[in-house]
Amino acid sequence: MEVLKKYSLLFLVLILTVVTVFPASSIASPKGKEVALSKQLEAISKKTYRYFEEFTIEETGLTYDAVRFDGDEMNADKHTSPTNISMYMMSTISAAETGLISHEESKDRIEATLNSLEDMKKWNGLFYNWYNSSDGSLFTDWGEFISTVDNGWLSAGLIVVGEAYPELYDQSNELVENMDYSKLYTPEVGQMRGGYDVAAESYTEHHYGAFYTEPRVASYIAIGKGDVPKEHWWKMNRTMPDSWDWQQQTPEGYTTTYDGVEVFEGHYSYNGKKYVPSWGGSMFEALMPQLVLKEKELGEDALGLNNQRHAEIQIEHAKEQGYAAWGESPAATPDGYSEFAATPLGTDGYKSDGTVTPHATFLTLDYTPMEAFENIQELKRFDTYSKYGFLDSVNVETGKVTNAYLALDQGMIMVSIANYLQDGVIRDYFHSSEIGKAPEDLLKKEEFSIKNDEGGELPDTSSSDPMGMFAGLTVSAAAGIFLVLRRQLNKE
């Protein structure tokens, strides 16, 4: 018995020696960083939501599309889009969920928006691409276009509103039910058109054929509503056919069948990691849909795993290019707006020139949170953090910062933060609706051809921490305990 006691005490001495010699981070999970990230996200969301507070017309509940600064001079784009409206509503719910504003204030703000939406001009219940923020009238400088993807995002925001605030459900649900996506669907092709030009009375020549892009939200909702059949989900291309030799890589994979529809489960590869490409290789094509869709939870072998790969490859690609920060996605530039991407991630990849946009970092919070934490610090070193949160882009090669804020990008940041801090609250609202629930089997049943390679699977965040009791132990404290134990051994 005495020998057992001595060995037990010696074992404790060994443990104390290990935790004293080796940093706590080498044997324990980075809880300190997680707390620091959460605190930082709270501060960032407060600044970011200030954009919506100051640049939304109170009477209409409609936000300015963008605001640019040239010294002390401010220039605002005083029009808005269906996606901007959705981002405002979901950002306002996010602000309430994280305690920035009260739920009563949130409801009042959103009710003004819903009232405007009811009065706006529509086409088959679908919304035009631009409206004046001041009164909700059509903004026709760029034509009269009905965009499939933008209407999809507005529907998503309305669905979230109806679930977050049941007293607004009837109003928001009626708007969603009246949005007839069948008018944008081509049954012979099984895909959605890009949109419809009302003035020209013509559809776009192209369909949304690439599956892994942001319009998949519109497709999901159209199926959930019953406007289009579920076979539409399987008619979109995971990769383009291998005979299309203009694409960046010749895809590999296999053909399988879902719900009676043959699907080529193709993929590309980057440094040994398999992935399904987006069209351009940008972060918001890949990860914007998971703001509302439970792709990580329900699509572990498909969309969720692919989201993880895109986040990881964006980071890896930036390092290989020698960029000080990562996160390539369409963003404002000093001269306007342009598309940026980690080029290899795209079927027909957008350019990569060192331009990084902060919203891309926040979209990865559920996949690479610690890398996001470090990248936020790096972005701040480029003087991109200002009155309304992060300015929209910086070229990390030249150091040139774009002094602009975009409603879309501010919204992606707000919703990403709320989902991270509040365990997927916006996704939960969306999936608690009948429209959100109905197509869930489409997410669950698919398996992309990207497993079993050098890329990691979705991370398990439930790992145990057997050394956690010693994490953060100081050298002096360890020494004190060591002396007590040594005295005990001597007594024995």
Side-chain angles (χ1 to χ4, degrees):
M1 190 65 177
E2 296 299 323
V3 173
L4 181 61
K5 283 183 181 179
K6 287 185 177 182
Y7 278 112
S8 297
L9 290 168
L10 283 170
F11 177 70
L12 287 173
V13 169
L14 177 63
I15 290 176
L16 288 168
T17 303
V18 169
V19 299
T20 304
V21 173
F22 296 100
S25 61
S26 68
I27 58 172
S29 58
K31 297 297 182 185
K33 277 190 175 181
E34 290 176 13
V35 172
L37 173 59
S38 295
K39 292 296 183 185
Q40 187 159 107
L41 293 178
E42 291 170 2
I44 292 168
S45 65
K46 185 175 183 179
K47 278 194 168 188
T48 303
Y49 192 67
R50 188 180 296 166
Y51 176 91
F52 293 105
E53 291 178 314
E54 295 195 15
F55 301 116
T56 300
I57 303 297
E58 184 177 353
E59 295 75 18
T60 63
L62 303 176
T63 307
Y64 293 166
D65 178 57
V67 174
R68 288 178 176 270
F69 292 91
D70 185 4
D72 294 331
E73 184 181 349
M74 183 193 80
N75 296 297
D77 293 337
K78 299 180 180 181
H79 48 262
T80 195
S81 70
T83 299
N84 289 344
I85 295 169
S86 177
M87 289 295 110
Y88 169 65
M89 293 190 298
M90 289 197 289
S91 293
T92 299
I93 294 170
S94 297
E97 292 291 338
T98 54
L100 293 177
I101 63 175
S102 69
H103 283 285
E104 282 303 314
E105 180 181 348
S106 176
K107 284 185 285 188
D108 289 344
R109 285 177 172 273
I110 291 171
E111 190 170 11
T113 307
L114 295 178
N115 292 339
S116 292
L117 288 168
E118 288 180 335
D119 294 336
M120 286 178 178
K121 186 177 179 181
K122 308 172 189 68
W123 177 84
N124 290 295
L126 298 164
F127 288 78
Y128 288 74
N129 223 33
W130 298 106
Y131 296 87
N132 291 300
S133 299
S134 59
D135 59 6
S137 61
L138 278 185
F139 178 82
T140 58
D141 289 22
W142 302 320
E144 298 179 25
F145 188 69
I146 308 296
S147 163
T148 299
V149 61
D150 283 275
N151 273 280
W153 279 106
L154 179 54
S155 293
L158 288 167
I159 291 167
V160 170
V161 166
E163 297 301 317
Y165 301 124
E167 55 269 57
L168 300 180
Y169 175 81
D170 289 343
Q171 196 175 10
S172 62
N173 185 62
E174 183 177 3
L175 289 165
V176 174
E177 289 300 326
N178 288 338
M179 299 170 79
D180 186 359
Y181 287 97
S182 70
K183 301 297 186 199
L184 299 171
Y185 182 67
T186 306
E188 298 80 10
V189 180
Q191 296 173 356
M192 306 285 283
R193 295 275 188 178
Y196 181 76
D197 186 326
V198 179
E201 297 183 344
S202 64
Y203 288 96
T204 58
E205 292 185 3
H206 73 278
H207 290 83
Y208 281 126
F211 174 66
Y212 193 65
T213 55
E214 75 278 12
R216 66 183 181 269
V217 166
S219 295
Y220 188 93
I221 290 171
I223 293 168
K225 287 183 71 224
D227 288 354
V228 306
K230 68 178 180 181
E231 71 178 32
H232 162 51
W233 193 255
W234 310 119
K235 291 284 188 177
M236 291 179 283
N237 298 303
R238 275 54 183 170
T239 59
M240 297 302 163
D242 55 12
S243 60
W244 294 18
D245 58 5
W246 53 264
Q247 57 187 311
Q248 287 205 84
Q249 293 186 32
T250 300
E252 298 179 347
Y254 52 81
T255 299
T256 188
T257 301
Y258 299 104
D259 297 324
V261 180
E262 284 194 351
V263 177
F264 176 61
E265 291 287 5
H267 64 263
Y268 289 179
S269 296
Y270 181 84
N271 290 347
K273 289 183 179 178
K274 299 175 185 176
Y275 61 94
V276 173
S278 63
W279 177 256
S282 67
M283 197 73 89
F284 89 62
E285 290 174 280
L287 296 183
M288 187 179 177
Q290 56 88 42
L291 293 178
V292 294
L293 298 182
K294 291 188 174 182
E295 295 179 338
K296 182 176 182 179
E297 298 91 329
L298 302 180
E300 291 184 4
D301 296 329
L303 285 167
L305 181 57
N306 206 51
N307 292 346
Q308 181 78 31
R309 296 284 166 81
H310 274 249
E312 292 171 351
I313 293 173
Q314 277 255 358
I315 296 168
E316 190 173 344
H317 177 262
K319 288 179 179 177
E320 290 189 353
Q321 299 301 309
Y323 298 157
W326 53 266
E328 296 171 276
S329 198
T333 66
D335 301 320
Y337 185 85
S338 191
E339 295 160 331
F340 304 100
T343 308
L345 285 170
T347 301
D348 185 22
Y350 302 144
K351 65 179 176 291
S352 173
D353 68 355
T355 299
V356 168
T357 179
H359 78 252
T361 297
F362 292 89
L363 287 174
T364 71
L365 279 171
D366 284 320
Y367 295 92
T368 54
M370 290 302 101
E371 291 85 349
F373 174 71
E374 293 168 2
N375 207 47
I376 288 169
Q377 316 313 313
E378 197 62 47
L379 289 169
K380 284 185 174 182
R381 294 187 187 100
F382 282 95
D383 200 23
T384 60
Y385 194 54
S386 192
K387 183 177 181 180
Y388 304 106
F390 280 97
L391 292 161
D392 206 59
S393 74
V394 57
N395 188 301
V396 296
E397 295 284 84
T398 66
K400 180 70 174 177
V401 176
T402 300
N403 292 310
Y405 299 93
L406 271 60
L408 166 62
D409 297 356
Q410 297 291 91
M412 285 192 280
I413 291 172
M414 280 298 300
V415 178
S416 295
I417 290 175
N419 274 332
Y420 182 78
L421 294 178
Q422 301 296 324
D423 298 321
V425 62
I426 301 301
R427 287 189 291 269
D428 285 345
Y429 281 135
F430 181 83
H431 278 267
S432 63
S433 71
E434 288 303 315
I435 293 172
K437 287 176 187 172
E440 285 183 349
D441 67 307
L442 300 177
L443 300 176
K444 295 175 183 177
K445 69 175 60 175
E446 186 167 14
E447 183 174 313
F448 284 177
S449 61
I450 63 174
K451 295 182 71 176
N452 305 317
D453 64 7
E454 295 177 15
E457 306 303 325
L458 286 175
D460 180 6
T461 57
S462 62
S463 59
S464 60
D465 180 15
M467 304 296 286
M469 70 181 89
F470 300 106
L473 191 66
T474 63
V475 173
S476 59
I481 297 172
F482 181 88
L483 288 172
V484 170
L485 291 172
R486 191 174 68 177
R487 291 192 191 106
Q488 184 63 31
L489 283 170
N490 289 336
K491 287 181 182 178
E492 296 293 337

